[in-house]
Every structure is written in C-alpha cells, then in structure tokens.
C-alpha cells in the first residue's frame, strides 16, 4: 500500500511540475526578446497613423485566421503547388488586407530579436490588439484637436 501512495505522490508532483513549466504566460516574450512587443506596437501605430483603416484590417486578418482552423497564421501562407492558401480564397479576395504590415512586423521583430523567435500567429494576435488601441488613440487625438 505504501508503494502505491509513493507512486501516486510522484505522479501528482510530476503532473504539477509539467503543467507549471509549460503553461502559457503573458510575459513569455519579455524574457526571450524584451523589445518584441514594443516593436510590434511601433509598426502597427505607424501603419494605422498612415492609414486609419489599417487598424480594422489587422483586426480582421486575425479574425479570419482564427475562424477557419484556429489561430495558426495559415492565412499568411502564400499559395503554391502544394498549398491551397486561405490568402487567395474567394472570401478573402479583394477583402483581406494588411499582409504587408504583418510582413514588416515580422522582419523588424526578427531583426530586433536577432533571430526569428516570435511566431506569426502571435504577431497576428498582438497586431490585432495593438491596432484597436492605436485606432482608439488616433480617434481621441483627432477629437481633442477638433475641440481646440
């Protein structure tokens, strides 16, 4: 009976260690590349200030990526003989836009971090978040400027 308890205790300890060690954290990139998230925000803000509609476009890209098979950045894949890309699907033709902003973010983040450490799926999610904040900030500044 004691050996069963000991084995059960070991399993519980191993399970708790595994779930703690591999859990998701909002601070993951803070440890790997502290400049990743600020870089994404900077590129998104520049794109939104250049063209305000880009905020909605980046949010829509994230929505469409997550809608089909989960948030896996498959929307960003270019078509090839072996890939039937979502990018050129009928639903996204003349509709999905902002791919060049995501490409610019990926290039800049990879350069800042010194290697590719941020996944494209994470870039889409963070860009969507930052685009909503950027549009809100842009709108507030516009309103304040019009009041003066």
């Amino acid at each position: 009976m004691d050996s069963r308890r000991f084995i059960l205790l070991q399993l519980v300890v191993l399970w708790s260690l595994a779930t703690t060690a591999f859990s998701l954290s909002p601070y993951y990139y803070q440890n790997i590349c502290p400049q990743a998230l600020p870089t994404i925000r900077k590129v998104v803000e520049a794109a939104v200030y250049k063209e305000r509609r880009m905020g909605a476009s980046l949010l829509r890209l994230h929505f469409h990526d997550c809608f089909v098979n989960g948030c896996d950045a498959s929307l960003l894949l270019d078509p090839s003989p072996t890939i039937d890309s979502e990018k050129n699907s009928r639903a996204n033709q003349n509709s999905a836009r902002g791919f060049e902003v995501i490409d610019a973010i990926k290039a800049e983040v990879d350069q800042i971090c010194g290697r590719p450490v941020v996944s494209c799926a994470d870039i889409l999610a963070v860009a969507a978040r930052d685009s909503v904040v950027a549009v809100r900030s842009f709108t507030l500044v516009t309103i304040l400027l019009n009041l003066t």
Side-chain angles (χ1 to χ4, degrees):
M1 193 68 150
D2 287 327
S3 64
R4 286 184 182 174
R5 285 185 184 174
F6 182 70
I7 291 172
L8 181 61
L9 178 62
Q10 285 180 327
L11 288 173
V12 169
V13 169
L14 287 175
W15 176 257
S16 65
L17 287 173
T19 57
T20 304
F22 301 112
S23 63
L24 296 175
S25 168
Y27 306 106
Y28 176 76
Y29 290 118
Q30 189 65 30
N31 296 326
I32 292 187
C33 180
Q35 290 303 311
L37 298 181
T39 301
I40 295 171
R41 183 178 59 244
K42 180 185 72 159
V43 176
V44 166
E45 286 174 349
V48 169
Y49 291 136
K50 182 178 178 184
E51 181 190 357
R52 190 169 166 191
R53 281 183 39 208
M54 189 53 68
S57 296
L58 293 172
L59 179 61
R60 187 172 188 277
L61 274 181
H62 180 58
F63 170 77
H64 277 269
D65 178 55
C66 294
F67 188 74
V68 178
N69 287 320
C71 306
D72 59 1
S74 58
L75 181 71
L76 302 178
L77 295 174
D78 290 323
S80 75
T82 59
I83 297 175
D84 187 20
S85 175
E86 295 172 50
K87 189 184 268 188
N88 294 338
S89 72
R90 186 175 296 157
N92 292 329
Q93 283 182 342
N94 301 320
S95 175
R97 54 191 294 274
F99 295 108
E100 68 284 349
V101 175
I102 300 300
D103 290 342
I105 292 169
K106 180 68 173 154
E108 195 155 335
V109 166
D110 287 353
Q111 181 182 2
I112 288 286
C113 297
R115 59 191 168 94
V117 295
V118 181
S119 72
C120 290
D122 285 352
I123 287 175
L124 274 173
V126 174
R129 178 198 68 184
D130 290 349
S131 69
V132 171
V133 173
V135 167
R136 180 174 179 259
S137 299
F138 183 77
T139 303
L140 288 174
V141 167
T142 303
I143 289 170
L144 290 173
L145 288 175
N146 287 333
L147 291 177
T148 58

